[in-house]
């Protein structure tokens, strides 16, 4: 342990006892020699400079405990030199003793102190007096250095203790986690594994450090895939996320885990290791499997039920029609009304059944398109014409340029716009205008169906395209299938459909359909 050793008093005293440096500055060589002779007995390193600039150069190179500075020098005098010394951060507090041959006048002294002198000696000086002064400054400097060394050692020790504490806290935290956690060295070897992993895998800490011991616990079918992904991450430094199965020691069961591995980087961005975690997702995966199976069974049941209903509904519709035709013109008015009502209801049921079948087809990817040249303007007018007798309180307008032709399945597109117009009418219970606008855009056509109805809340604008999803509850009827089918059809054409609405009643909604002119 190096840190406590640094605190031993003899160690710092030793450091402080090595000679310190004293800088002597005088333009007379004889004076410098005299100073050297006086100070030599102190056993310190004495450095001589013959001018202010030379002294400054020395100060750039190293630290001094003290500077003895002659005031009277040609060129840069002592005061100017002292001023420059004080300007530098590193030498701002280095003590300076001015040496002067004359003038004990107070103003001169004051000027000297103002330039940063720590003391003053007038030539000719008494050797012992000068030596005592210098000795005092050297002792002060040493004391200062000792304090600094102790402070640094204390810091170091405190940092060491804090690091150990935080390391222990980290280990405790990681050991208490339900996840499996590993710390890896930069080359991928395991340096630490948490208690969760040791218990799950039935390994000792030493065994867990051996990569092959860890690898043996991965499901044989996942080993190659995991190994490749990990090798890629080691090469590129990319974080890794993958699912794999790990064998549980206590019963030999393989359970699914979500594994994440992140690189640890130093301040320069260099990878210094990896942290890997694995979270048990086995129960969640099984629950999803069960849900998926249940959902598939439900879809299958709906499709089969729809298929079974189709034939009797067709028959019922035909019988209603036949009954009206056979009864001839003298049919009782009440009977005629009932037969028409019956025909309408059966037709509606048949269309719901067709919707259920379409949803099934789309899900299985079995919706086939009969492509042909479709004049969009004509198609939109036909759709609107179909609704006109039913939409007494609504005015439906079509605005489409002539000759807007695209490759598409006419019947399926008609189904899309019939859906959109039917919705526009259904969700505008108070009446209001409905508008269909088509325009040509580069390589595509853009149709907008706008109503002034109840609008759609912002958070629902995407969800309404999901099967069985309704933004307005059951009050308006409908199964919530029309938009899901419309989106399926539009996307099969390579197009996009979306809704926009401020979500306020009376302001309404717009449905946008964009279709490529030529399917690529
Ligand atoms: P539904 O048969 O329920 O109308 P859709 O799939 O056609 O099924 O529509 C899904 C939901 O989207 C609707 O239940 C309704 O809440 C909302 N919606 C569709 N069109 C409009 C519209 N023009 N104005 C307001 N809401 C609409």
């Amino acid at each position: 342990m190096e840190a406590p050793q640094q605190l031993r008093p003899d160690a710092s005293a030793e450091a402080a006892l090595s000679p310190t440096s004293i800088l002597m500055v005088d333009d007379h060589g004889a004076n410098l020699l005299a100073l050297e002779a006086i100070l030599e007995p102190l056993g310190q390193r004495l450095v001589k400079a013959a001018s202010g600039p030379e002294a400054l150069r020395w100060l750039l190179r190293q630290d001094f405990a003290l500077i003895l500075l002659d005031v009277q020098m040609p060129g840069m005098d002592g005061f100017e030199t002292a001023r420059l010394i004080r300007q530098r951060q590193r030498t701002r507090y280095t003590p300076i003793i001015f040496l002067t041959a004359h003038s004990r006048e107070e103003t001169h002294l004051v000027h000297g102190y103002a330039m940063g002198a720590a003391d003053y000696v007038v030539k000719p000086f008494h050797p012992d007096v000068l030596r005592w002064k210098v000795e005092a400054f050297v002792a002060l400097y040493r004391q200062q250095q000792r304090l600094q060394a102790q402070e640094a050692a204390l810091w170091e020790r405190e940092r060491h203790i804090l690091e150990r504490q935080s390391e222990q806290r980290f280990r405790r935290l990681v050991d208490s986690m339900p996840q499996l956690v590993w710390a890896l060295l930069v080359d991928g070897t395991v340096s630490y594994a948490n208690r969760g992993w040791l218990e799950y895998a039935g390994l000792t800490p030493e065994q867990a450090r051996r990569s092959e011991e860890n690898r043996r616990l991965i499901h044989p079918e996942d080993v190659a895939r995991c190994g490749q992904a990990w090798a890629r991450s080691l090469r590129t430094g990319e974080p890794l996320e993958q699912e794999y199965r790990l064998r549980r020691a206590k019963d030999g069961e393989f359970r699914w885990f979500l594994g994440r591995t992140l690189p640890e980087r130093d301040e320069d961005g260099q990878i210094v290791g990896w942290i890997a975690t694995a979270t048990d997702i086995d129960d969640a995966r099984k629950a999803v499997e069960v849900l998926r199976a249940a959902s598939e069974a439900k879809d299958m049941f709906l499709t089969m039920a729809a298929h079974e209903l189709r034939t009797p509904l067709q028959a019922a519709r035909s019988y209603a029609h036949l009954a009206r035709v056979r009864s001839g013109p003298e049919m009782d008015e009440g009977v005629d009304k009932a037969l028409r009502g019956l025909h309408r209801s059966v037709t509606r049921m048949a269309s719901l059944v067709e919707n259920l079948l379409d949803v099934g087809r789309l899900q299985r990817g079995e919706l086939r398109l009969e492509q042909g040249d479709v004049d969009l303007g004509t198609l939109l007018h036909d759709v609107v014409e179909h609704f006109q007798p039913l939409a007494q309180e609504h005015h439906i307008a079509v605005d489409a340029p002539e000759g807007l032709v695209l490759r598409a399945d006419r019947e399926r597109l008609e189904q899309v716009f019939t859906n959109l117009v039917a919705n526009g009418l259904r969700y505008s219970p108070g009446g209001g205008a409905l508008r269909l606008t088509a325009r040509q855009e580069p390589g595509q056509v853009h149709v907008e169906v706008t109503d002034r109805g109840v609008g759609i809340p912002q958070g629902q604008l995407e969800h309404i395209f999901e099967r069985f999803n309704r933004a307005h509850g059951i009050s308006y009827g409908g199964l919530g299938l029309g938009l899901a089918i419309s989106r399926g059809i539009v996307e099969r054409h390579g197009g996009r459909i979306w809704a926009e609405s401020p979500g306020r009643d009376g302001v309404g909604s717009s449905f946008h359909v964009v279709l490529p002119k030529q399917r690529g």
Side-chain angles (χ1 to χ4, degrees):
M1 292 275 123
E2 327 81 272
Q5 264 185 11
Q6 282 184 4
L7 265 188
R8 280 199 343 237
D10 51 341
S12 52
E14 235 170 70
L17 276 179
S18 60
T20 57
S21 300
I22 299 169
L23 180 62
M24 306 175 302
V25 194
D26 199 311
D27 58 315
H28 293 294
N31 287 352
L32 284 175
L33 284 176
L35 278 174
E36 195 173 28
I38 294 168
L39 299 179
E40 205 140 45
L42 294 179
Q44 307 304 324
R45 218 168 78 80
L46 302 172
V47 176
K48 290 179 279 201
S51 67
E54 193 187 338
L56 293 176
R57 277 197 295 280
W58 271 108
L59 285 162
L60 282 178
R61 266 178 259 154
Q62 65 168 95
D63 289 332
F64 288 90
L66 174 67
I67 304 165
L68 297 171
L69 188 54
D70 185 23
V71 172
Q72 278 259 303
M73 288 189 290
M76 189 189 289
D77 70 4
F79 292 146
E80 176 62 5
T81 310
R83 197 178 62 76
L84 293 172
I85 290 172
R86 286 287 172 260
Q87 266 177 11
R88 275 189 64 222
Q89 179 66 28
R90 198 167 148 195
T91 52
R92 179 156 299 157
Y93 301 108
T94 309
I96 300 172
I97 298 181
F98 277 124
L99 311 171
T100 179
H102 61 94
S103 178
R104 285 168 181 268
E105 281 171 27
E106 232 173 48
T107 47
H108 199 69
L109 284 172
V110 168
H111 189 51
Y113 281 112
M115 282 301 132
D119 208 341
Y120 219 92
V121 182
V122 178
K123 296 183 204 171
F125 37 75
H126 192 291
D128 286 337
V129 172
L130 181 67
R131 206 179 297 117
W132 291 333
K133 285 194 180 207
V134 169
E135 212 169 7
F137 278 109
V138 168
L140 205 66
Y141 179 73
R142 282 217 174 118
Q143 182 65 17
Q144 221 175 359
Q145 282 202 317
R146 205 175 296 136
L147 280 173
Q148 274 172 4
Q150 279 183 357
E151 199 183 355
L154 270 172
W155 256 102
E156 181 60 24
R157 203 164 76 136
E158 207 164 307
R159 196 175 61 85
H160 207 75
I161 291 171
L162 281 174
E163 268 177 11
R164 277 211 357 228
Q165 276 177 348
S166 78
E167 169 94 13
Q168 280 170 356
R169 204 174 303 141
F170 169 75
R171 294 259 154 126
R172 273 199 297 273
L173 183 75
V174 169
D175 274 342
S176 68
M177 279 162 66
Q179 274 96 347
L180 316 179
V181 183
W182 303 267
L184 311 169
L185 300 179
V186 68
D187 64 354
T189 44
V190 177
S191 61
Y192 164 79
N194 78 335
R195 187 172 299 156
W197 172 238
L198 301 181
E199 280 171 8
Y200 184 90
L203 297 177
T204 63
E206 288 66 39
Q207 287 171 324
R209 271 191 210 109
R210 292 199 285 274
S211 299
E212 66 282 1
E213 295 276 0
N214 293 309
R215 228 183 341 251
R216 269 191 319 111
L217 295 149
I218 302 176
H219 194 285
E221 285 171 21
D222 302 337
V223 171
R225 176 174 55 86
C226 289
Q228 280 160 11
W230 177 221
R232 194 172 45 244
S233 274
L234 272 177
R235 215 172 45 244
T236 59
E238 295 271 308
L240 179 62
E241 186 170 307
Q242 57 182 347
E243 292 183 10
Y244 46 76
R245 283 159 286 180
L246 294 172
R247 192 161 55 111
R248 184 160 61 184
K250 77 169 187 220
D251 53 8
E253 186 197 340
F254 277 102
R255 295 179 66 80
W256 277 101
F257 281 82
L258 169 67
R260 286 207 178 95
T261 310
L262 292 173
E264 271 191 292
R265 294 179 187 275
D266 63 13
E267 300 93 62
D268 304 327
Q270 289 294 318
I271 295 182
V272 291
W274 300 80
I275 293 285
T277 61
T279 309
D280 191 330
I281 52 163
D282 203 70
D283 292 341
R285 264 182 85 119
K286 282 185 185 134
V288 169
E289 276 312 314
V290 171
L291 277 176
R292 189 178 300 144
S295 169
E296 272 168 17
K298 184 199 71 192
D299 288 344
M300 178 86 83
F301 167 77
L302 277 178
T303 307
M304 276 163 47
H307 258 295
E308 292 304 311
L309 285 170
R310 208 180 188 190
T311 320
L313 279 174
Q314 288 283 18
R317 196 153 56 154
S318 306
Y319 285 132
H321 180 68
L322 200 67
R324 278 189 69 212
V325 174
R326 287 274 170 89
S327 302
E330 287 92 42
M331 192 186 354
D332 177 85
E333 202 182 312
V335 175
D336 184 46
K337 202 169 158 206
L339 283 177
R340 269 190 284 131
L342 180 63
H343 190 266
R344 245 196 338 271
S345 297
V346 174
T347 307
R348 167 122 184 88
M349 271 166 81
S351 108
L352 288 176
V353 163
E354 281 309 314
N355 273 351
L356 280 174
L357 289 172
D358 276 347
V359 163
R361 286 187 194 108
L362 278 166
Q363 263 194 306
R364 295 189 301 275
E366 285 173 7
L367 188 105
R368 265 176 287 279
L369 298 181
E370 304 282 333
Q371 301 261 27
D373 285 341
V374 178
D375 185 319
L376 201 64
T378 315
L379 183 143
L380 294 179
H381 281 289
D382 288 352
V383 169
V384 167
E385 202 165 301
H386 171 77
F387 280 98
Q388 216 77 52
L390 307 169
Q392 308 290 329
E393 309 93 48
H394 301 84
H395 173 69
I396 312 180
V398 179
D399 180 5
E402 270 182 31
L404 207 54
V405 178
L406 66 151
R407 289 288 296 170
D409 183 325
R410 189 181 204 280
E411 225 170 281
R412 288 299 184 185
L413 280 196
E414 205 172 317
Q415 189 179 350
V416 170
F417 292 111
T418 302
N419 259 331
L420 296 182
V421 173
N423 279 348
L425 298 175
R426 183 177 336 161
Y427 297 101
S428 311
L434 207 75
R435 182 167 209 88
L436 284 76
T437 320
R439 59 178 174 274
Q440 166 120 24
E441 288 176 355
Q444 61 186 26
V445 290
H446 188 149
V447 186
E448 208 173 318
V449 181
T450 310
D451 64 58
R452 307 237 134 241
V454 295
I456 303 159
Q458 280 295 314
Q460 292 286 340
L461 286 173
E462 252 317 289
H463 295 311
I464 54 172
F465 290 94
E466 291 161 14
R467 319 183 281 157
F468 304 113
N469 224 323
R470 292 178 300 195
H472 300 94
I474 52 168
S475 40
Y476 292 88
L479 280 183
L481 292 179
L483 289 180
I485 295 169
S486 300
R487 175 165 275 182
I489 294 173
V490 170
E491 286 179 353
R492 283 283 287 115
H493 280 85
R496 284 190 312 125
I497 177 170
W498 71 96
E500 289 173 1
S501 171
R504 286 195 306 277
D505 196 0
V507 184
S509 330
S510 302
F511 283 80
H512 296 258
V513 178
V514 170
L515 293 161
K517 285 199 77 180
Q518 210 72 40
R519 185 89 171 92

mmCIF file of all heavy atoms in Angstrom, residues 231-240 261-263 265 271 274:
data_model
loop_
_atom_site.group_PDB
_atom_site.id
_atom_site.type_symbol
_atom_site.label_atom_id
_atom_site.label_comp_id
_atom_site.label_asym_id
_atom_site.label_seq_id
_atom_site.Cartn_x
_atom_site.Cartn_y
_atom_site.Cartn_z
ATOM 1 N N ALA A 231 -17.831 -11.365 -31.494
ATOM 2 C CA ALA A 231 -16.565 -11.117 -32.200
ATOM 3 C C ALA A 231 -16.657 -9.797 -32.966
ATOM 4 O O ALA A 231 -15.705 -9.019 -33.011
ATOM 5 C CB ALA A 231 -16.274 -12.268 -33.153
ATOM 6 N N ARG A 232 -17.834 -9.529 -33.556
ATOM 7 C CA ARG A 232 -18.008 -8.285 -34.316
ATOM 8 C C ARG A 232 -17.909 -7.075 -33.381
ATOM 9 O O ARG A 232 -17.251 -6.094 -33.678
ATOM 10 C CB ARG A 232 -19.369 -8.306 -35.029
ATOM 11 C CG ARG A 232 -19.484 -7.240 -36.090
ATOM 12 C CD ARG A 232 -20.728 -7.346 -36.943
ATOM 13 N NE ARG A 232 -21.922 -7.601 -36.159
ATOM 14 C CZ ARG A 232 -22.657 -8.692 -36.236
ATOM 15 N NH1 ARG A 232 -22.324 -9.640 -37.076
ATOM 16 N NH2 ARG A 232 -23.730 -8.848 -35.486
ATOM 17 N N SER A 233 -18.544 -7.193 -32.195
ATOM 18 C CA SER A 233 -18.494 -6.075 -31.253
ATOM 19 C C SER A 233 -17.071 -5.833 -30.767
ATOM 20 O O SER A 233 -16.638 -4.690 -30.634
ATOM 21 C CB SER A 233 -19.384 -6.353 -30.042
ATOM 22 O OG SER A 233 -20.689 -5.966 -30.330
ATOM 23 N N LEU A 234 -16.340 -6.934 -30.493
ATOM 24 C CA LEU A 234 -14.948 -6.773 -30.041
ATOM 25 C C LEU A 234 -14.125 -6.046 -31.088
ATOM 26 O O LEU A 234 -13.252 -5.245 -30.783
ATOM 27 C CB LEU A 234 -14.331 -8.150 -29.796
ATOM 28 C CG LEU A 234 -14.525 -8.754 -28.407
ATOM 29 C CD1 LEU A 234 -13.914 -10.136 -28.349
ATOM 30 C CD2 LEU A 234 -13.889 -7.881 -27.338
ATOM 31 N N ARG A 235 -14.446 -6.337 -32.373
ATOM 32 C CA ARG A 235 -13.693 -5.722 -33.478
ATOM 33 C C ARG A 235 -14.069 -4.260 -33.650
ATOM 34 O O ARG A 235 -13.228 -3.407 -33.816
ATOM 35 C CB ARG A 235 -14.018 -6.490 -34.759
ATOM 36 C CG ARG A 235 -12.867 -6.603 -35.719
ATOM 37 C CD ARG A 235 -13.155 -7.530 -36.873
ATOM 38 N NE ARG A 235 -14.457 -7.359 -37.481
ATOM 39 C CZ ARG A 235 -15.413 -8.265 -37.492
ATOM 40 N NH1 ARG A 235 -15.208 -9.428 -36.908
ATOM 41 N NH2 ARG A 235 -16.570 -8.044 -38.057
ATOM 42 N N THR A 236 -15.382 -3.955 -33.564
ATOM 43 C CA THR A 236 -15.845 -2.608 -33.915
ATOM 44 C C THR A 236 -16.051 -1.704 -32.701
ATOM 45 O O THR A 236 -16.137 -0.494 -32.844
ATOM 46 C CB THR A 236 -17.196 -2.685 -34.650
ATOM 47 O OG1 THR A 236 -18.135 -3.333 -33.768
ATOM 48 C CG2 THR A 236 -17.103 -3.485 -35.934
ATOM 49 N N GLY A 237 -16.165 -2.308 -31.511
ATOM 50 C CA GLY A 237 -16.438 -1.492 -30.324
ATOM 51 C C GLY A 237 -17.899 -1.110 -30.198
ATOM 52 O O GLY A 237 -18.261 -0.277 -29.374
ATOM 53 N N GLU A 238 -18.757 -1.735 -31.025
ATOM 54 C CA GLU A 238 -20.199 -1.418 -30.999
ATOM 55 C C GLU A 238 -20.875 -2.119 -29.823
ATOM 56 O O GLU A 238 -20.543 -3.265 -29.521
ATOM 57 C CB GLU A 238 -20.873 -1.949 -32.265
ATOM 58 C CG GLU A 238 -20.404 -1.299 -33.524
ATOM 59 C CD GLU A 238 -21.229 -0.078 -33.841
ATOM 60 O OE1 GLU A 238 -22.454 -0.217 -33.851
ATOM 61 O OE2 GLU A 238 -20.638 0.996 -34.051
ATOM 62 N N PRO A 239 -21.871 -1.463 -29.155
ATOM 63 C CA PRO A 239 -22.643 -2.157 -28.126
ATOM 64 C C PRO A 239 -23.420 -3.315 -28.759
ATOM 65 O O PRO A 239 -23.691 -3.298 -29.966
ATOM 66 C CB PRO A 239 -23.613 -1.108 -27.611
ATOM 67 C CG PRO A 239 -23.214 0.168 -28.211
ATOM 68 C CD PRO A 239 -22.331 -0.093 -29.375
ATOM 69 N N LEU A 240 -23.763 -4.303 -27.923
ATOM 70 C CA LEU A 240 -24.386 -5.513 -28.450
ATOM 71 C C LEU A 240 -25.673 -5.802 -27.693
ATOM 72 O O LEU A 240 -25.735 -5.621 -26.482
ATOM 73 C CB LEU A 240 -23.391 -6.659 -28.256
ATOM 74 C CG LEU A 240 -23.800 -8.052 -28.689
ATOM 75 C CD1 LEU A 240 -24.049 -8.083 -30.184
ATOM 76 C CD2 LEU A 240 -22.688 -9.034 -28.333
ATOM 77 N N THR A 261 -24.385 -5.833 -23.969
ATOM 78 C CA THR A 261 -22.969 -5.640 -23.663
ATOM 79 C C THR A 261 -22.562 -4.252 -24.128
ATOM 80 O O THR A 261 -22.776 -3.899 -25.288
ATOM 81 C CB THR A 261 -22.113 -6.707 -24.381
ATOM 82 O OG1 THR A 261 -22.684 -7.986 -24.095
ATOM 83 C CG2 THR A 261 -20.691 -6.693 -23.896
ATOM 84 N N LEU A 262 -22.017 -3.477 -23.180
ATOM 85 C CA LEU A 262 -21.649 -2.089 -23.507
ATOM 86 C C LEU A 262 -20.159 -1.879 -23.281
ATOM 87 O O LEU A 262 -19.617 -2.359 -22.279
ATOM 88 C CB LEU A 262 -22.392 -1.116 -22.587
ATOM 89 C CG LEU A 262 -23.891 -1.021 -22.754
ATOM 90 C CD1 LEU A 262 -24.458 -0.149 -21.665
ATOM 91 C CD2 LEU A 262 -24.229 -0.431 -24.115
ATOM 92 N N PRO A 263 -19.493 -1.154 -24.182
ATOM 93 C CA PRO A 263 -18.070 -0.887 -23.938
ATOM 94 C C PRO A 263 -17.907 0.179 -22.849
ATOM 95 O O PRO A 263 -18.738 1.072 -22.740
ATOM 96 C CB PRO A 263 -17.575 -0.357 -25.288
ATOM 97 C CG PRO A 263 -18.787 0.168 -25.960
ATOM 98 C CD PRO A 263 -19.967 -0.578 -25.438
ATOM 99 N N ARG A 265 -15.440 3.169 -21.672
ATOM 100 C CA ARG A 265 -14.379 3.954 -22.315
ATOM 101 C C ARG A 265 -13.718 4.901 -21.304
ATOM 102 O O ARG A 265 -14.386 5.342 -20.371
ATOM 103 C CB ARG A 265 -14.967 4.797 -23.459
ATOM 104 C CG ARG A 265 -15.494 3.934 -24.594
ATOM 105 C CD ARG A 265 -16.097 4.789 -25.700
ATOM 106 N NE ARG A 265 -16.731 3.955 -26.703
ATOM 107 C CZ ARG A 265 -16.084 3.393 -27.730
ATOM 108 N NH1 ARG A 265 -14.807 3.624 -27.887
ATOM 109 N NH2 ARG A 265 -16.736 2.624 -28.591
ATOM 110 N N ILE A 271 -11.509 2.126 -25.464
ATOM 111 C CA ILE A 271 -12.216 1.070 -24.730
ATOM 112 C C ILE A 271 -11.279 0.461 -23.692
ATOM 113 O O ILE A 271 -10.159 0.063 -24.018
ATOM 114 C CB ILE A 271 -12.739 -0.008 -25.698
ATOM 115 C CG1 ILE A 271 -13.796 0.621 -26.619
ATOM 116 C CG2 ILE A 271 -13.327 -1.194 -24.938
ATOM 117 C CD1 ILE A 271 -14.437 -0.323 -27.583
ATOM 118 N N TRP A 274 -15.565 -4.036 -20.809
ATOM 119 C CA TRP A 274 -16.962 -4.180 -21.206
ATOM 120 C C TRP A 274 -17.800 -4.521 -19.993
ATOM 121 O O TRP A 274 -17.311 -5.162 -19.076
ATOM 122 C CB TRP A 274 -17.114 -5.318 -22.226
ATOM 123 C CG TRP A 274 -16.336 -5.139 -23.478
ATOM 124 C CD1 TRP A 274 -15.011 -5.386 -23.659
ATOM 125 C CD2 TRP A 274 -16.830 -4.670 -24.731
ATOM 126 N NE1 TRP A 274 -14.650 -5.098 -24.955
ATOM 127 C CE2 TRP A 274 -15.754 -4.657 -25.642
ATOM 128 C CE3 TRP A 274 -18.088 -4.265 -25.193
ATOM 129 C CZ2 TRP A 274 -15.882 -4.263 -26.951
ATOM 130 C CZ3 TRP A 274 -18.225 -3.866 -26.504
ATOM 131 C CH2 TRP A 274 -17.133 -3.859 -27.373
#
